Amino acid sequence: DVTYLLAGDATYSQANLLAEQTGGVTNDPATALATLRAIRQFAAGERTVLLPAHDPFAPARLLAREPML
């Protein structure tokens, strides 16, 4: 089965997360990057469907139950 991670604004898209691009507004870029890395580490050990709030591809990943690579 899969785990669904509601990422909210932690990243704007799965592509940004995979590229380690914090993007958006952040008061602490180092913490934002550490958060992205923590999400990737979690997804490496658990089949995870990432659902960021602003990712136009999130609905398709949800329907397909497509985990992060």
Side-chain angles (χ1 to χ4, degrees):
D1 213 17
V2 296
T3 296
Y4 298 95
L5 197 155
L6 304 175
D9 287 338
T11 183
Y12 281 2
S13 70
Q14 181 169 290
N16 283 5
L17 182 133
L18 295 174
E20 293 191 346
Q21 296 176 344
T22 57
V25 176
T26 179
N27 293 327
D28 188 345
T31 299
L33 181 57
T35 299
L36 298 182
R37 290 177 175 164
I39 292 170
R40 287 185 73 172
Q41 182 177 7
F42 175 83
E46 179 92 20
R47 289 176 39 91
T48 303
V49 178
L50 182 69
L51 303 168
H54 303 282
D55 190 335
F57 301 107
R61 281 196 307 275
L62 175 61
L63 287 175
R65 299 174 46 157
E66 178 185 317
M68 285 180 51
L69 302 176

